[in-house]
Amino acid sequence: MDAISIGLLGLGTVGSGVVKIVENHQDKLMHQIGCPVRINKILVKNIEKERDVHVDPALLTDSPDDILENPDINIIIEVMGGVEETRKYLLRAVRNKKHVVTANKDLMALYGPELLAEATRNKCDLFYEASVAGGIPILRGLVDGLASDRITKMMGIVNGTTNFILTKMSKSGSPYEEALAQAQQLGYAESDPTADVEGLDAARKMAILATLGFSMNIDLDDVSCEGITHITEEDIDYSKQLGYTMKLIGIADRVGEKVEVSVQPALLNETHPLAAVNDEYNAVYVYGEAVGETMFYGPGAGSLPTATAIVSDLVGVMKNMRLHINGRSAGAPQYEKNLKNEDEIFAKHFLRLHVKDEIGVFATITTLFAQHSISFEKILQLPLAEKGHAEIVLVTHRASLKNFHTILQQLRDNELVLEIKSTYRVEGDDKK
Ligand code: NAP
Ligand code: HSE
């Protein structure tokens, strides 16, 4: 059988990994699909650039047409990143009957349904395993492995950069900027790391996970999102003292037919399996009604781990080609989107505030919470260095987000409260 011919869009961190795996694992690929795999052309921005990986310079091009319009190319691997231009390339690719494998969560979170529909119309596969949690086969885990179950909750550490930064800050006391620079150097961060540290990268991945896990079209705008840039050393210290670890957590939760999807830094009970996920590692905790607790763990970023997911998708496309069943795997979602309101989202909350150290302040705060039927699980008051000021730290029992936000507003309006220093969701105390 003739070789399968690949067009690669991008030869950066992930593209270089793809080239290495295709070269180094050729035997295994041949065994699985019965023919050699050849990279035919590689699109880059700058042909003259020094590369980490050796490729024949004749393979490089800066013209997308050399790949998108090339009749010899069967499959396109997109690892160039970007959204608008890339969307046009991939639409052209499937219209030209080329199967697509992509690692691009920015693109899939925004235009996934459109691209998948166009691929299906053209009997092409469009696989995107590498777009969520790098080397962890979580999308296949959800779609195939848990196909028979009803998933009710997913909690994910799905951004390697922020997990790396938070691990360095809490375990080695590294300053934020230093930890971020290290994550960039190691190739975990996006070219502009704002999307990592502001939680947007994780939000994109959670939109993809929730869409597949709940079989509902969840848009990026449906995911509430908060990053890690405001986390302080004090917050990390308090979380440790209270038996928690600070993590950027994506949460997708379903109660009945209603769902919520969010990304935020949270205090995670240190006995929860996700609390042991450190450095650039990712994990997705999935709770299914029948299976109970499962967790998928592994490297969430980096050249070879991400490339592994891409080349595995490539094998999937090639197996489908052999069976002549390409373009049949992306089914339409089963359910209409049905999002929870704020008064249907329940969680425990951590709150740290500075108050005037006066008689009655403690009572005022506890009364305020009681009026909204929120009770405390933990509360402590400590004097601050500045005379007449005190710090109050508390963890609530489960309360609706609506009630908690109302209380925050009333605390801000109260003259005894000097400043609300921080609030975090508290997770992992109970199963599910
Ligand atoms: P990268 O290192 O910045 O590489 C991007 C590559 O694409 C470069 O080779 C660049 O060419 C080329 N490129 C970019 N824009 C182009 C354009 N307009 N025209 C032609 N070529 C263009 O990025 P990366 O880290 O490999 O990430 C690639 C994709 O994988 C992104 O979607 C990212 O979100 C996703 N991803 C990355 C990781 C990771 O760990 N890095 C993990 C999972 C998913 P030059 O080399 O000439 O500049
Ligand atoms: N910047 C991303 C991360 C790369 O840190 O997780 C993997 O998607």
Side-chain angles (χ1 to χ4, degrees):
M1 197 175 162
D2 289 348
I4 296 281
S5 175
I6 309 294
L8 191 57
L9 306 180
L11 187 60
T13 306
V14 182
S16 306
V18 170
V19 169
K20 286 178 194 161
I21 294 187
V22 168
E23 267 173 27
N24 299 341
H25 297 190
Q26 192 62 225
D27 275 2
K28 177 151 193 198
L29 296 175
M30 280 270 288
H31 178 72
Q32 293 194 73
I33 58 164
C35 66
V37 180
R38 298 276 174 260
I39 293 180
N40 181 308
K41 272 275 172 242
I42 306 176
L43 178 72
V44 290
K45 233 193 268 187
N46 176 4
I47 294 186
E48 307 304 327
K49 189 165 152 184
E50 289 260 328
R51 309 260 161 207
D52 292 346
V53 65
H54 172 75
V55 290
D56 177 353
L59 296 186
L60 298 180
T61 176
D62 55 9
S63 163
D65 287 3
D66 286 350
I67 293 177
L68 301 173
E69 303 297 332
N70 186 331
D72 296 335
I73 289 178
N74 315 96
I75 304 172
I76 288 182
I77 294 179
E78 186 276 302
V79 281
M80 59 182 259
V83 176
E84 298 304 333
E85 187 189 17
T86 317
R87 166 180 165 264
K88 288 185 195 148
Y89 289 176
L90 297 195
L91 286 172
R92 265 173 77 192
V94 294
R95 285 170 189 154
N96 286 341
K97 313 294 175 204
K98 300 183 193 311
H99 309 291
V100 171
V101 173
T102 177
N104 193 329
K105 59 262 162 169
D106 312 27
L107 181 68
M108 291 309 291
L110 280 175
Y111 294 116
E114 180 198 18
L115 290 165
L116 287 163
E118 195 59 21
T120 304
R121 249 193 302 279
N122 286 283
K123 298 192 172 50
C124 286
D125 285 332
L126 168 52
F127 291 156
Y128 50 103
E129 181 64 69
S131 65
V132 181
I136 309 173
I138 178 63
L139 302 191
R140 278 180 209 283
L142 288 178
V143 173
D144 297 331
L146 294 172
S148 63
D149 207 355
R150 192 166 191 274
I151 291 163
T152 53
K153 184 158 190 168
M154 288 173 278
M155 278 170 55
I157 293 178
V158 288
N159 181 269
T161 303
T162 46
N163 202 40
F164 183 87
I165 295 171
L166 291 177
T167 305
K168 294 292 170 228
M169 284 173 74
S170 60
K171 295 215 182 289
S172 331
S174 304
Y176 169 86
E177 294 297 345
E178 187 184 304
L180 171 60
Q182 222 182 326
Q184 285 177 290
Q185 227 167 37
L186 290 164
Y188 307 143
E190 300 301 304
S191 39
D192 173 1
T194 314
D196 292 299
V197 297
E198 295 299 349
L200 186 58
D201 177 80
R204 291 167 176 149
K205 294 166 179 167
M206 289 310 296
I208 296 171
L209 283 178
T211 296
L212 291 176
F214 297 152
S215 196
M216 215 180 256
N217 261 336
I218 301 294
D219 299 318
L220 187 53
D221 287 346
D222 301 326
V223 185
S224 70
C225 174
E226 181 191 326
I228 66 162
T229 49
H230 60 285
I231 295 174
T232 62
E233 243 174 75
E234 287 93 330
D235 294 331
I236 289 180
D237 287 346
Y238 274 121
S239 65
K240 284 186 202 162
Q241 280 178 43
L242 293 166
Y244 298 101
T245 177
M246 182 75 78
K247 294 285 184 194
L248 185 77
I249 302 282
I251 297 174
D253 187 74
R254 160 151 71 183
V255 176
E257 299 311 321
K258 292 201 122 182
V259 306
E260 60 163 295
V261 190
S262 63
V263 168
Q264 60 274 291
L267 269 61
L268 186 68
N269 190 309
E270 62 194 13
T271 62
H272 191 278
L274 282 175
V277 178
N278 289 316
D279 298 314
E280 77 280 17
Y281 278 79
N282 279 196
V284 184
Y285 169 92
V286 182
Y287 195 93
E289 271 176 6
V291 72
E293 290 182 290
T294 62
M295 195 163 95
F296 299 77
Y297 169 84
S303 180
L304 288 175
T306 309
T308 307
I310 290 170
V311 181
S312 298
D313 271 353
L314 190 64
V315 171
V317 174
M318 294 185 290
K319 285 182 175 169
N320 285 351
M321 283 167 83
R322 220 166 43 176
L323 298 169
H324 306 287
I325 55 165
N326 300 95
R328 300 206 197 151
S329 41
Q334 187 179 356
Y335 304 105
E336 283 296 313
K337 179 162 63 185
N338 195 352
L339 298 173
K340 290 187 205 172
N341 301 313
E342 269 208 334
D343 57 354
E344 295 167 307
I345 299 176
F346 284 84
K348 294 181 177 184
H349 298 274
F350 167 96
L351 171 64
R352 180 163 75 89
L353 60 167
H354 285 182
V355 295
K356 291 181 187 165
D357 195 2
E358 289 176 9
I359 292 173
V361 66
F362 210 71
T364 305
I365 288 168
T366 51
T367 306
L368 190 59
F369 275 80
Q371 281 165 354
H372 292 278
S373 311
I374 301 181
S375 56
F376 300 135
E377 189 176 284
K378 292 169 187 156
I379 181 161
L380 50 130
Q381 179 173 348
L382 305 151
L384 284 168
E386 189 165 346
K387 204 166 170 318
H389 292 183
E391 180 160 69
I392 292 183
V393 174
L394 59 87
V395 175
T396 70
H397 280 293
R398 276 167 69 81
S400 79
L401 206 52
K402 185 169 184 221
N403 276 356
F404 188 65
H405 284 163
T406 305
I407 285 186
L408 288 183
Q409 193 49 53
Q410 291 178 359
L411 287 170
R412 278 189 202 103
D413 294 342
N414 191 307
E415 57 167 19
L416 292 171
V417 176
L418 299 165
E419 190 183 351
I420 293 179
K421 298 299 286 185
S422 53
T423 70
Y424 297 100
R425 195 159 156 159
V426 175
E427 284 293 327
D429 283 344
D430 317 300
K431 273 198 180 157
K432 206 276 194 193

